[in-house]
Amino acid sequence: MATSSALLHPVRLRIVQALLGEGELTTHQLHERLSDVPIATLYRHVGHLVKHELIEVADEQQIRGASEKTYRLAPGFANPSAEELNSLSNEELLTAFTVFTSGLIRDFGDYLQAGDPDLYADRVSFAQASFWASDEEVDEFGRALMAALESLLANDATPGRRRRTLSTVLMPREEDAAQRETPRKGSEAQG
């Protein structure tokens, strides 16, 4: 797996974002999407991403005597399994999370560029909520969320339906001393 430092350049991050959104692209197609980046610079950054195993060659064809490569994200990088994530170092985890969050940023930027956004009418939302829960309660929440999503995931594209993306991030928050001393909702202070 690559190191997070391989993404710490705006052009390389944009290349990964483009591949995250499109799946597979040739260097020519990447250049169409990143037209402000000189082609030589684009080739250099694509090579850097391949070297650091963030992207790979998906296909290679001979066109008019030249080799045209099609690139994609490295397998497991866009949606790594729990086992793959557990095997990663902290730096590799940061790289995977950076790609995930950069995809969200790209998607939101694409939404804003598509016209006059109406977040309410389009049902766009982003929020953060912190709560107290045991591991069992978090597991139950995850099962309930997946149960609610199952019927939607089976939907076909039809008039009146828009393709939507639900992205989640769930992580523990460290308690500070003040939180440890404050009685939690539903508990009584001992006196």
Side-chain angles (χ1 to χ4, degrees):
M1 177 80 51
T3 61
S4 58
S5 61
L7 285 175
L8 296 180
H9 188 284
V11 172
R12 291 194 291 264
L13 191 56
R14 289 173 63 199
I15 292 168
V16 169
Q17 289 172 337
L19 291 171
L20 193 61
E22 301 283 341
E24 297 182 359
L25 295 170
T26 65
T27 309
H28 176 74
Q29 291 168 324
L30 280 167
H31 191 247
E32 288 175 350
R33 286 153 181 80
L34 307 173
S35 58
D36 59 314
V37 178
I39 192 71
T41 301
L42 184 66
Y43 273 103
R44 187 174 70 249
H45 288 297
V46 165
H48 187 87
L49 291 168
V50 169
K51 176 183 171 187
H52 285 87
E53 300 176 349
L54 279 166
I55 66 174
E56 67 179 14
V57 176
D59 190 32
E60 188 169 357
Q61 295 182 6
Q62 292 295 321
I63 297 178
R64 292 185 293 274
S67 174
E68 182 179 56
K69 296 177 182 176
T70 302
Y71 296 94
R72 66 179 170 220
L73 288 179
F77 197 69
N79 289 300
S81 69
E83 294 79 24
E84 289 169 324
L85 288 173
N86 281 332
S87 70
L88 301 179
S89 70
N90 286 350
E91 187 172 1
E92 291 168 332
L93 284 169
L94 182 59
T95 301
F97 190 75
T98 300
V99 170
F100 171 77
T101 55
S102 69
L104 292 177
I105 293 166
R106 186 214 63 242
D107 290 345
F108 192 69
D110 290 348
Y111 166 72
L112 294 176
Q113 294 299 317
D116 293 326
D118 184 340
L119 276 66
Y120 178 76
D122 294 335
R123 308 309 195 269
V124 174
S125 66
F126 49 92
Q128 187 174 50
S130 291
F131 53 88
W132 296 96
S134 67
D135 290 347
E136 294 78 19
E137 290 168 323
V138 170
D139 291 344
E140 178 55 33
F141 169 75
R143 285 189 293 272
L145 180 60
M146 288 311 298
L149 278 173
E150 281 181 7
S151 64
L152 293 174
L153 292 172
N155 286 348
D156 292 323
T158 60
R161 285 187 176 146
R162 294 176 74 176
R163 185 159 176 81
R164 299 171 192 271
T165 299
L166 173 67
S167 301
T168 61
V169 176
L170 181 66
M171 65 183 114
R173 301 291 301 259
E174 293 300 317
E175 294 182 63
D176 61 24
Q179 289 173 316
R180 286 191 296 269
E181 294 170 10
T182 303
R184 292 178 177 82
K185 191 184 264 189
S187 67
E188 296 181 8
Q190 300 293 321

